[in-house]
């Protein structure tokens, strides 16, 4: 079934600029999102999503009420939500395998929405900028194309990507929005940054870094803390060159839960 905007079929391929020209409400929503102040999101109730990760939950979750991600330059942050039961998925896509990622996003929401009798699927795409290598443009096209190929009707509600999320300074281009959060209970999506990226921030960052060919697709556009982040991740990899043996004894998963203060705590074996 098709990708829809305000009930009308989206005719692809179109650039982000062409798409908002054909659907003015998309342009207005992108303008309002760009104009927001960045909110600092604390750790209470937060599940932070790193690059190449996916998280899904619903308003019934008593521990997690906010999904969020940032540090997106050429990457796109995708939010898919079922309006009937509020099931929400947030993914930080880098274009490494968009064709496989979109069905995973769809299936994650369906696993929470099997018995939903009403509602629709709404998607929000944020991130990227007018980078010299046109990686953002390519990812925008891939995501729109793959969502358009899915069996379900998907309503495109927010499109703030690539040239719609671009600012120029001293002849260099940068994203306007680097990160967003979504409130699971109210469905509000807003500009955000995060101090807490746990649990196991370095381990999860190492996984993404080890699986990619580049430290950065857009070095000039990275946020100020990027160098410190890469340095700490590389130091982690040096300290744990074989994390599967050193950090996962017996090949057992590391388990965490939110405590009564809304912070992550490790679950000891047997708890």
């Amino acid at each position: 079934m098709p990708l829809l905007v305000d009930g009308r079929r989206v005719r692809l391929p179109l650039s982000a600029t062409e798409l908002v020209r054909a659907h003015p409400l998309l342009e207005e929503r992108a303008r309002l999102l760009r104009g927001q102040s960045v909110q600092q999101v604390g750790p209470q109730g937060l599940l932070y999503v790193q690059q190449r990760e996916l998280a899904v939950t619903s308003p019934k979750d008593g521990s997690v009420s906010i999904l969020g991600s940032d540090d997106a330059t050429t990457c796109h942050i995708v939010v898919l939500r079922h309006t009937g039961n509020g099931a929400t998925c947030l993914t930080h896509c880098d274009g490494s395998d968009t064709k496989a990622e979109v069905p995973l996003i769809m299936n994650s929401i369906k696993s929470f929405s099997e018995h939903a009798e009403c509602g629709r699927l709404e998607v929000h795409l944020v991130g990227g900028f007018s980078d010299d290598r046109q990686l953002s443009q390519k990812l925008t096209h891939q995501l729109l194309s793959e969502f358009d190929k899915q069996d379900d009707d998907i309503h495109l509600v927010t499109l703030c990507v690539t040239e719609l999320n671009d600012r120029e300074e001293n002849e260099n281009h940068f994203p306007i929005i680097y990160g967003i959060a979504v409130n699971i209970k109210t469905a509000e999506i807003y500009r955000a940054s995060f101090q807490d990226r746990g649990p196991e921030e370095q381990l999860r960052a190492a996984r993404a870094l080890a699986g990619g060919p580049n430290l950065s697709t857009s070095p000039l556009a990275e946020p100020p803390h990027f160098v410190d982040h890469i340095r700490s991740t590389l130091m982690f990899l040096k300290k744990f060159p074989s994390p599967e043996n050193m950090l996962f004894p017996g090949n057992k998963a590391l388990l965490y839960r939110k405590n009564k203060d809304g912070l992550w705590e490790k679950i000891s074996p047997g708890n």
Side-chain angles (χ1 to χ4, degrees):
M1 297 296 288
L3 189 65
L4 305 168
V5 176
D6 300 316
R8 295 161 51 195
R9 173 72 189 269
V10 173
R11 300 296 177 182
L12 299 174
L14 291 174
S15 68
T17 299
E18 291 169 334
L19 195 48
V20 297
R21 284 175 181 168
H23 303 277
L25 275 177
L26 282 180
E27 187 166 20
E28 176 63 11
R29 292 175 192 138
R31 184 187 68 80
L32 291 173
L33 187 60
R34 290 193 303 266
Q36 290 182 3
S37 299
V38 178
Q39 297 187 38
Q40 299 289 332
V41 178
Q44 286 78 14
L46 169 68
L47 176 52
Y48 183 84
V49 177
Q50 295 205 31
Q51 185 173 333
R52 298 186 190 172
E53 291 184 342
L54 173 153
V56 61
T57 190
S58 77
K60 295 180 180 179
D61 191 327
S63 299
V64 173
S65 57
I66 298 171
L67 299 178
S69 189
D70 63 357
D71 291 356
T73 52
T74 57
C75 293
H76 290 15
I77 302 171
V78 179
V79 176
L80 182 67
R81 181 176 181 272
H82 191 285
T83 62
N85 64 4
T88 304
C89 174
L90 186 145
T91 316
H92 188 130
C93 298
D94 62 4
S96 57
D97 195 356
T98 308
K99 191 171 184 178
E101 287 171 344
V102 170
L104 284 175
I105 296 169
M106 295 293 296
N107 289 334
S108 72
I109 287 293
K110 289 180 180 180
S111 69
F112 276 74
S113 309
E114 291 179 357
H115 304 294
E117 296 180 359
C118 60
R120 67 181 195 176
L121 292 172
E122 295 184 346
V123 69
H124 309 261
L125 307 180
V126 180
F129 68 109
S130 298
D131 62 283
D132 291 340
R133 299 165 63 190
Q134 296 189 327
L135 297 175
S136 303
Q137 184 182 46
K138 180 181 178 182
L139 181 52
T140 296
H141 171 75
Q142 288 175 344
L143 286 167
L144 291 172
S145 177
E146 291 304 319
F147 276 112
D148 192 51
K149 293 176 183 177
Q150 302 306 304
D151 293 334
D152 303 86
D153 284 353
I154 303 171
H155 297 261
L156 179 61
V157 176
T158 304
L159 185 71
C160 190
V161 295
T162 312
E163 62 265 38
L164 303 175
N165 189 44
D166 182 79
R167 68 177 180 87
E168 188 174 355
E169 182 180 327
N170 297 326
E171 299 184 352
N172 292 316
H173 290 263
F174 303 86
I176 297 172
I177 300 174
Y178 282 88
I180 60 170
V182 54
N183 185 307
I184 305 302
K185 302 187 187 306
T186 67
E188 179 190 6
I189 293 175
Y190 51 94
R191 293 181 63 178
S193 64
F194 310 88
Q195 292 298 317
D196 185 275
R197 295 178 172 87
E200 297 289 352
E201 176 185 355
Q202 291 182 331
L203 174 61
R204 293 159 62 198
R207 171 185 170 272
L209 184 63
N214 302 305
L215 295 180
S216 172
T217 57
S218 49
L220 292 177
E222 295 292 351
H225 60 263
F226 174 75
V227 173
D228 288 340
H229 170 71
I230 291 295
R231 183 184 293 112
S232 66
T233 304
L234 291 173
M235 292 298 292
F236 178 88
L237 285 168
K238 182 179 179 180
K239 184 177 179 180
F240 300 104
S242 301
E244 65 275 11
N245 299 322
M246 304 173 75
L247 299 177
F248 300 93
N251 200 31
K252 294 181 179 179
L254 301 179
L255 301 178
Y256 287 81
R257 65 186 172 197
K258 289 282 189 179
N259 63 22
K260 59 182 177 61
D261 297 318
L263 307 177
W264 291 111
E265 65 177 13
K266 195 170 186 178
I267 301 176
S268 301
N271 283 13

